[in-house]
């Protein structure tokens, strides 16, 4: 019955989508090459080359840049990367990193000065860094010798190492002379960047692909392939067509496509939890959503289980706060079961007719896949049934970021509502930048400008908790406050899929939030 209902909602809006477009084939002649769609899908960030401004795309960025620490491929624990090891003081305020012996791709030595430079740059809002607020607890960064970095915090921060796993270390000798405010728009990132990873930047063919060459002197060993290419596609469907045609060897795929590959012996389907909670963001600078009864009504109006069953093939879990992991869920959460009658009653109590009535409300998203369009169409129809008139608008990620991160006084109605996702693991602190009042842009990811005191207090307390026996309880309190106050209309945490050609050997891909990074060891990837 629910599946029929979803089909009905989609038929109303006319948004059951299909179709593909093919891009020009790329070949690196005479070289052992792996070509993939490494920025396809929600974890990608095509045509972004600046890791300080990245909200995704780390699967690709981490093939030529590297962080100090990195998650293992299972996303279960952190390990050293450019830091070969590290130690944390008992009071959780001092972090000492012992650095690996490495050189930049231009031959200059990698030293502690590069780490100090990067962390100070990442903390500087003028650079356009999205890490500025998240690294705000850093009190000092010292480089006592070339191979040692000592970072001191002003207060304990349980997410500090997890944050560092996404901070790609940058070359002081190449960037120090540039004023920080010019870095965000510098062509250096897409023309002559130098990193320390297993592959070196070779060229970017505008809007088509990026080509990397093996770094034969990489500390992890000479890469097994000569060339790595990241092709850009207009849609996952176009990438799937290229994969089937043998033009690429890997891409993210939608769930419907994953099913079609499972019986094909030429490919391997990779499935895993996304660690991303999808939600409807409700802009708190817009008067429409100030009343919690309106936010509750939106939750009751959306049949999340029906959407999960029909459009995700059951491969998602409904979220009643920012988490779905059992150890982070307290007892007594309101399940917000589908109840359109209750939604209508709550809207009537809140005076929705006077607040907005049937005036159109923009529902903005950067998710451009057919599946996402069908999800948006279903939500649009369900909300319309209770008297909320939303109009979906799909834009690419750079356009979306330009709208929601705009400083000063943006056009709040341009993103009154958003359909988006944010990392909720493996470290549960991942959602803090999107909800804490200290993380309003340009400092962080709180694009809905949420300033809920109880929620920020719960987040701060959880971040400061250093007792392992109390950490889960602290994040359960965050979940409890989210469930009660509804800063977002939380939807679900879905599985994600990749498909790799069976010609690949020792290839590692994980459906990590933002594309990672994680220890994929691209230097070990090979192809028959």
């Amino acid at each position: 019955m629910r599946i029929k209902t979803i089909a009905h909602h989609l038929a109303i809006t006319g948004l059951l989508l299909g179709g593909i477009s093919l891009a020009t084939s790329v070949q690196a002649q005479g070289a052992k090459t792996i070509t993939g769609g490494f920025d396809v899908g929600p974890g990608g960030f095509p045509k972004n080359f600046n890791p300080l401004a990245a909200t995704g795309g780390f699967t690709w960025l981490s093939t030529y840049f590297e962080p100090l620490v990195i998650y293992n491929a299972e996303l279960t624990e952190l390990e050293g990367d450019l830091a070969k090891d590290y130690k944390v003081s008992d009071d959780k305020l001092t972090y000492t990193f012992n650095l690996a012996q490495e050189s930049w791709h231009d031959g200059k030595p990698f030293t502690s000065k590069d780490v100090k430079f990067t962390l100070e740059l990442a903390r500087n809002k003028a650079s356009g860094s999205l890490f500025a607020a998240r690294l705000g607890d850093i009190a000092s960064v010292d480089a006592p010798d070339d191979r040692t970095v000592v970072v001191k915090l002003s207060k304990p921060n349980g997410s500090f190492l997890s944050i560092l796993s996404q901070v790609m270390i940058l070359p002081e000798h190449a960037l120090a002379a540039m004023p920080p405010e010019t870095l965000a728009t510098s062509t250096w990132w897409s023309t002559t960047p130098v990193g320390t990873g297993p592959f070196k930047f070779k060229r970017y063919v505008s809007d088509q692909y990026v080509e990397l060459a093996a770094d034969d002197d990489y500390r992890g060993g000479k890469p097994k392939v000569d060339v790595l290419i990241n092709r850009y596609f207009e849609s996952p469907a176009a990438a799937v067509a290229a994969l089937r045609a043998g033009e690429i060897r890997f891409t993210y795929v939608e769930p419907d496509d994953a099913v079609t590959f499972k019986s094909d012996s030429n490919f391997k389907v990779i499935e895993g939890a996304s660690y991303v909670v999808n939600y409807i963001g409700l802009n708190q600078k817009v008067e429409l959503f100030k009343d919690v009864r309106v936010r509750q009504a939106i939750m009751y109006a959306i049949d999340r289980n029906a959407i999960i069953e029909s459009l995700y093939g059951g491969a998602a879990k409904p979220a009643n706060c920012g988490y779905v992991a059992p150890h982070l869920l307290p007892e007594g959460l309101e399940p917000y079961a589908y109840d359109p009658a209750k939604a209508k009653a709550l809207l009537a109590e809140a005076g929705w007719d006077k607040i907005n009535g049937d005036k159109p409300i923009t529902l903005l998203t950067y998710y451009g896949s057919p599946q996402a369009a069908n999800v948006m169409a279903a939500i649009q129809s369900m909300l319309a049934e209770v008297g909320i008139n939303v109009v979906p608008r799909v834009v690419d990620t750079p356009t979306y970021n330009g709208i929601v991160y705009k400083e000063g006084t943006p056009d709040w109605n341009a993103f009154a509502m958003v359909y988006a996702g944010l990392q909720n693991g493996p470290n549960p602190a991942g959602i803090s930048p999107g909800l804490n009042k200290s993380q309003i842009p340009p400092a962080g990811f709180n694009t809905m400008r949420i300033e809920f005191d109880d929620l920020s207090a719960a987040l701060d307390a959880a971040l400061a908790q250093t007792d392992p026996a109390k950490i889960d309880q602290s994040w359960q309190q965050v979940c409890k406050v989210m469930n009660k106050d509804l800063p977002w209309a939380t939807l679900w945490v879905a599985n994600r899929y990749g498909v790799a050609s069976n010609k690949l050997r020792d290839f590692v891909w994980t459906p990590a939030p933002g594309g990672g990074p994680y220890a994929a060891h691209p230097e070990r990837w090979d192809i028959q």
Side-chain angles (χ1 to χ4, degrees):
M1 186 59 148
R2 281 181 169 167
I3 295 176
K4 274 180 137 184
T5 301
I6 293 296
H8 168 71
H9 286 301
L10 296 176
I12 288 174
T13 52
L15 278 173
L16 280 167
L17 301 180
I20 61 172
S21 63
L22 289 173
T24 304
S25 177
V26 178
Q27 297 293 334
Q29 299 296 332
K32 199 173 188 182
T33 302
I34 294 177
T35 301
F38 296 102
D39 269 317
V40 174
F45 195 163
K47 294 173 270 190
N48 174 65
F49 298 87
N50 178 356
L52 294 180
T55 54
F58 287 102
T59 296
W60 179 250
L61 289 170
S62 61
T63 61
Y64 59 105
F65 289 119
E66 295 178 298
L68 283 175
V69 295
I70 196 167
Y71 275 99
N72 61 15
E74 295 74 33
L75 304 182
T76 55
E77 61 183 1
L78 286 159
E79 58 187 48
D81 199 356
L82 278 174
K84 61 182 181 181
D85 58 62
Y86 60 90
K87 62 181 179 181
V88 184
S89 64
D90 291 342
D91 61 6
K92 311 299 183 187
L93 293 176
T94 303
Y95 292 72
T96 303
F97 300 92
N98 297 312
L99 304 183
Q101 192 77 35
E102 187 55 272
S103 295
W104 293 99
H105 293 148
D106 60 4
K108 303 290 186 182
F110 159 70
T111 74
S112 57
K113 292 180 181 178
D114 296 303
V115 178
K116 178 178 173 65
F117 167 78
T118 299
L119 293 181
E120 291 176 348
L121 183 66
R123 295 169 62 204
N124 187 343
K125 296 178 185 178
S127 70
S129 169
L130 296 178
F131 295 94
R134 286 185 287 167
L135 296 175
D137 291 335
I138 293 179
S140 65
V141 182
D142 295 312
D145 60 60
D146 282 353
R147 305 257 67 82
T148 307
V149 175
V150 180
V151 180
K152 293 187 177 180
L153 304 185
S154 58
K155 60 183 179 181
N157 185 333
S159 69
F160 182 63
L161 288 173
S162 184
I163 293 167
L164 287 187
S165 74
Q166 289 190 322
V167 179
M168 299 294 157
I169 303 303
L170 302 171
E172 180 190 35
H173 68 274
L175 298 177
M178 297 185 195
E181 57 271 15
T182 69
L183 277 177
T185 57
S186 172
T187 59
W188 181 85
W189 304 103
S190 61
T191 55
T192 56
V194 290
T196 56
F199 288 87
K200 301 184 289 187
F201 192 92
K202 187 174 181 181
R203 62 174 170 164
Y204 167 48
V205 177
S206 184
D207 298 329
Q208 295 184 48
Y209 66 93
V210 182
E211 183 177 343
L212 307 182
D215 179 2
D216 293 347
D217 299 319
Y218 182 62
R219 69 185 182 282
K222 178 182 177 180
K224 292 183 178 180
V225 299
D226 304 304
V227 176
L228 206 57
I229 291 175
N230 183 19
R231 266 184 62 181
Y232 295 141
F233 294 91
E234 290 297 323
S235 68
V240 165
L243 182 65
R244 292 191 187 280
E247 297 171 10
I248 62 174
R249 301 302 181 185
F250 166 78
T251 186
Y252 161 90
V253 300
E254 297 289 345
D256 289 349
D257 288 315
V259 172
T260 69
F261 279 100
K262 285 184 176 178
S263 60
D264 192 329
S265 61
N266 294 310
F267 300 97
K268 177 184 178 181
V269 176
I270 306 167
E271 177 181 1
S274 65
Y275 286 107
V276 170
V277 58
N278 288 118
Y279 62 91
I280 300 295
L282 307 169
N283 194 327
Q284 290 301 303
K285 292 294 186 180
V286 176
E287 292 298 321
L288 305 179
F289 309 115
K290 296 292 187 183
D291 193 318
V292 69
R293 291 171 295 186
V294 173
R295 305 196 294 272
Q296 291 170 341
I298 291 170
M299 287 291 289
Y300 286 118
I302 299 173
D303 192 344
R304 294 173 294 162
N305 287 328
I307 292 174
I308 289 170
E309 179 72 19
S310 181
L311 298 179
Y312 288 91
K317 297 178 180 179
N320 294 310
C321 70
Y323 309 109
V324 296
H327 66 286
L328 300 177
L329 303 180
E331 294 183 2
L333 293 178
E334 170 58 46
Y336 293 105
Y338 178 55
D339 191 341
K342 189 168 186 175
K344 289 179 181 178
L346 285 164
L347 290 172
E349 289 176 19
W352 183 250
D353 284 346
K354 293 182 179 178
I355 294 171
N356 189 74
D358 61 359
K359 297 186 190 74
I361 306 168
T362 297
L363 175 57
L364 184 70
T365 191
Y366 50 85
Y367 289 137
S369 70
Q371 181 194 48
N374 290 334
V375 168
M376 295 257 289
I379 290 173
Q380 178 185 24
S381 181
M382 291 171 181
L383 291 178
E385 286 189 4
V386 301
I388 300 175
N389 177 18
V390 302
V391 180
R393 182 190 175 199
V394 183
V395 297
D396 60 24
T397 300
T399 301
Y400 179 91
N401 287 347
I403 293 170
V404 302
Y405 288 107
K406 185 177 180 181
E407 295 184 49
T409 307
D411 178 1
W412 304 118
N413 288 312
F415 59 111
M417 299 174 73
V418 301
Y419 172 48
L422 191 63
Q423 175 178 349
N424 70 349
N427 188 319
I431 66 170
S432 182
L435 293 166
N436 202 311
K437 63 183 181 181
S438 67
Q439 302 281 329
I440 289 173
F445 299 159
N446 187 351
T447 57
M448 295 295 96
R449 277 64 175 184
I450 296 159
E451 299 183 71
F452 292 2
D453 290 341
D454 289 349
L455 178 57
S456 290
L459 288 164
D460 289 342
L463 288 168
Q465 182 57 257
T466 59
D467 183 346
K470 297 180 180 178
I471 288 175
D472 285 354
Q473 184 180 352
S474 295
W475 291 109
Q476 286 181 13
Q477 181 61 24
V478 171
C479 177
K480 186 175 181 180
V481 175
M482 287 188 70
N483 180 259
K484 174 178 173 288
D485 293 346
L486 295 177
W488 299 330
T490 50
L491 298 172
W492 44 70
V493 175
N495 284 1
R496 289 180 179 172
Y497 302 84
V499 175
S501 165
N502 275 339
K503 291 183 180 294
L504 295 180
R505 293 289 179 268
D506 297 318
F507 176 78
V508 174
W509 178 79
T510 298
Y518 49 87
H521 293 290
E523 72 277 9
R524 301 175 188 172
W525 298 353
D526 205 351
I527 187 168
Q528 286 183 327

